[in-house]
Amino acid sequence: MSSVKTHVSQLAVMGGTPLFDAPIHVGRPNLGDRGRLLARINEMLDRRWLSNNGPFVQEFEAKVAAFLGVRHCIAMCNGTIALEIAIRATGLRGEVIVPSFTFIATAHALQWQEITPVFCDIDPRTHLIDPAQVQRLITPRTTGIVGVHTWGQPCDVEALSQIARRRNLTLMFDAAHAFGCSYRGKMIGNFGAAEIFSFHATKFFNTFEGGAIATNDGALAAKIRLMKNFGFRGYDNVEYIGTNGKMTEIAAAMGLTGLESLDDFIEHNRRNYVRYMDELAGIPGVRMLPANPAERCTFQYIVIEVEEKVTEIERDRIVQALHAENILARRYFYPGCHRMEPYRSFFPHAGLLLPETERLAQKIVVLPTGTAIGPDQIAAICGVIRLVTAHGREVRKLMASRESAPAVV
Ligand code: T4K
């Protein structure tokens, strides 16, 4: 890492040396104890049992269920397949209400099964699906609501449950971001018909690729177990249409190892979060999304909103300046699912009903955190944001003139 930058001319986007020699990523995986993982992998190889509900997967499911305080956890090969199976197993069809401000997998898991995702706006303070808007989108074709616990914050579960009960809809949650988080003190995983986790490498807790469905409904859990294994009950008997959603033993080995370090991951993330809060406080036009102190959370997402009117430089130029420094900040979930295909073609005017999503997608930046970075990197990252925004108008002009200047050959 080169020394902290104090003058606009030192910015890499102006031709200065990048702050970091190697890229600093948003989604750097949190890793548990390497020795414990390798021992488990050796055990797995000795056993020659690599997939299909092996002993590590069974142990993993039991440990996750105990951690969440939920009756059933069904491990999966990834969060997207978990969503698809949960959607199918709960019988969703027709139209399902989802936020547009989410990772594209939430919408695709529905559309993949020819269910129409009906995009709902969000509460601009929390970035979560707005229950008042949900009510307005219900039609005779609506069969369910998929809430997303974005950034690990819980949706307004009570309001959504009431709507679902009153209108006879199935409620489930995409909890891809929310493993280890709570709603009113109870762990996420216990709400709606089912909740779906992602254990992708970039998540707070990972199994390389992986996911799980958590539910307290025994009949639903049994159905999901069949569906994730082609519908097989016994050797030669298929009872449902199914697919292959199985988690491998090596993924479960990674998961069992990671579970042993959850407290360390959270503590590291919490310190990073506090440092970011301190460093970013008082930067005009930059607001960091606060964690709710009343809930358990993993501090996995450092999310800022940039008010261009105040910074006098666009969010995209700030991101460009960060990338030039090798700080790979991301614009999750720009531009919103409704502006991506096939939804953009299906509903070209959806944005008119999604003003908060449209606004937020223009100002969001997600910054790197996780166990791969610490206070020095955070101070340096925030230093760049401070420098760029303090001289917003000037940096913007200089960047524009460099862009329009003819290339030197
Ligand atoms: N629902 C929601 C709300 C989700 O956010 C997601 C996934 C899902 C459902 C679906 O769950 P999965 O089927 O994925 O289990 C990444 C992740 O691939 C995706 O899992 C995640 N959400 C999404 C928010 O982020 P990309 O396309 O942005 O990934 P990529 O390759 O650009 O990587 C992100 C950053 O992480 C890069 O800077 C590189 C770094 N990275 C990545 C990997 C894989 C590493 O440093 N090491 C790694 O091993 O989607």
Side-chain angles (χ1 to χ4, degrees):
M1 189 172 84
S2 68
S3 53
V4 173
K5 304 199 170 187
T6 51
H7 193 270
V8 166
S9 61
Q10 295 169 319
L11 290 169
V13 83
M14 295 297 149
T17 314
L19 190 57
F20 295 102
D21 305 330
I24 304 282
H25 294 279
V26 162
R28 222 45 174 167
N30 292 326
L31 303 176
D33 185 291
R34 196 175 291 228
R36 305 264 303 157
L37 173 64
L38 294 177
R40 283 190 167 104
I41 293 174
N42 275 326
E43 196 184 324
M44 177 196 81
L45 294 174
D46 290 344
R47 195 157 43 216
R48 287 180 190 257
W49 195 281
L50 309 183
S51 186
N52 289 17
N53 204 27
F56 281 156
V57 165
Q58 291 180 34
E59 186 184 347
F60 178 68
E61 289 181 339
K63 287 198 165 143
V64 170
F67 173 69
L68 301 176
V70 70
R71 282 204 199 105
H72 308 279
C73 162
I74 304 107
M76 295 277 171
C77 54
N78 62 54
T80 305
I81 296 286
L83 270 168
E84 286 175 15
I85 291 178
I87 285 163
R88 189 141 197 154
T90 52
L92 292 182
R93 60 194 187 284
E95 294 177 0
V96 170
I97 300 171
V98 283
S100 174
F101 190 74
T102 179
F103 190 59
I104 198 67
T106 321
H108 278 356
L110 291 160
Q111 189 63 49
W112 194 253
Q113 307 185 63
E114 298 190 359
I115 298 167
T116 306
V118 173
F119 294 121
C120 184
D121 215 358
I122 44 165
D123 177 337
R125 285 167 308 131
T126 59
H127 308 173
L128 297 168
I129 191 167
D130 179 353
Q133 299 297 327
V134 170
Q135 306 239 49
R136 292 191 190 117
L137 296 171
I138 298 172
T139 74
R141 294 192 69 227
T142 311
T143 60
I145 306 165
V146 178
V148 181
H149 301 306
T150 314
W151 317 133
Q153 310 167 106
C155 292
D156 187 343
V157 174
E158 190 182 333
L160 293 172
S161 304
Q162 275 176 16
I163 297 170
R165 236 189 335 267
R166 262 203 322 271
R167 306 298 296 266
N168 200 20
L169 303 174
T170 297
L171 174 64
M172 72 169 71
F173 293 99
D174 177 340
H177 298 183
F179 187 70
C181 305
S182 70
Y183 170 71
R184 297 193 177 163
K186 199 169 176 181
M187 296 304 275
I188 300 279
N190 284 278
F191 302 101
E195 302 210 65
I196 291 85
F197 295 105
S198 164
F199 303 139
H200 182 259
T202 53
K203 296 292 184 280
F204 156 71
F205 160 77
N206 82 85
T207 59
F208 305 123
E209 289 269 3
I213 301 176
T215 179
N216 283 308
D217 179 338
L220 181 63
K223 196 169 176 181
I224 288 168
R225 282 197 183 284
L226 291 181
M227 282 187 165
K228 74 146 188 190
N229 186 29
F230 315 102
F232 270 112
R233 190 192 299 280
Y235 280 142
D236 308 311
N237 176 36
V238 171
E239 291 200 352
Y240 286 112
I241 177 165
T243 183
N244 183 352
K246 290 167 285 155
M247 178 180 271
T248 61
E249 283 290 275
I250 197 165
M254 181 70 167
L256 287 167
T257 308
L259 282 177
E260 292 161 357
S261 298
L262 290 187
D263 290 343
D264 297 338
F265 298 161
I266 293 175
E267 182 47 26
H268 192 106
N269 274 356
R270 194 192 60 76
R271 269 184 272 141
N272 284 356
Y273 165 87
V274 170
R275 186 63 191 249
Y276 266 116
M277 268 285 173
D278 287 350
E279 294 279 348
L280 295 172
I283 300 185
V286 174
R287 170 193 180 245
M288 181 169 148
L289 195 71
N292 178 353
E295 299 291 358
R296 281 183 68 159
C297 87
T298 58
F299 304 95
Q300 176 69 4
Y301 297 96
I302 302 294
V303 181
I304 62 170
E305 292 172 24
V306 174
E307 286 304 338
E308 187 191 324
K309 277 200 192 97
V310 181
T311 57
E312 299 187 289
I313 180 165
E314 308 90 327
R315 181 273 313 265
D316 289 353
R317 285 199 200 276
I318 297 175
V319 170
Q320 204 184 327
L322 288 167
H323 280 211
E325 305 293 349
N326 252 335
I327 303 160
L328 301 189
R330 297 296 293 262
R331 300 182 296 179
Y332 292 127
F333 294 105
Y334 172 83
C337 294
H338 66 287
R339 283 182 176 267
M340 297 189 180
E341 292 297 356
Y343 315 107
R344 183 171 56 196
S345 297
F346 288 167
F347 324 111
H349 305 297
L352 295 172
L353 292 172
L354 302 164
E356 300 300 348
T357 303
E358 294 259 289
R359 257 193 291 277
L360 183 64
Q362 293 301 328
K363 54 187 190 177
I364 199 100
V365 183
V366 179
L367 298 172
T369 187
T371 49
I373 71 163
D376 294 344
Q377 287 99 332
I378 292 169
I381 292 167
C382 296
V384 173
I385 297 174
R386 206 177 295 113
L387 183 61
V388 171
T389 55
H391 303 276
R393 202 188 315 195
E394 184 189 350
V395 176
R396 178 190 194 172
K397 264 200 203 141
L398 288 167
M399 283 174 80
S401 63
R402 286 176 73 88
E403 282 155 17
S404 57
V408 183
V409 257

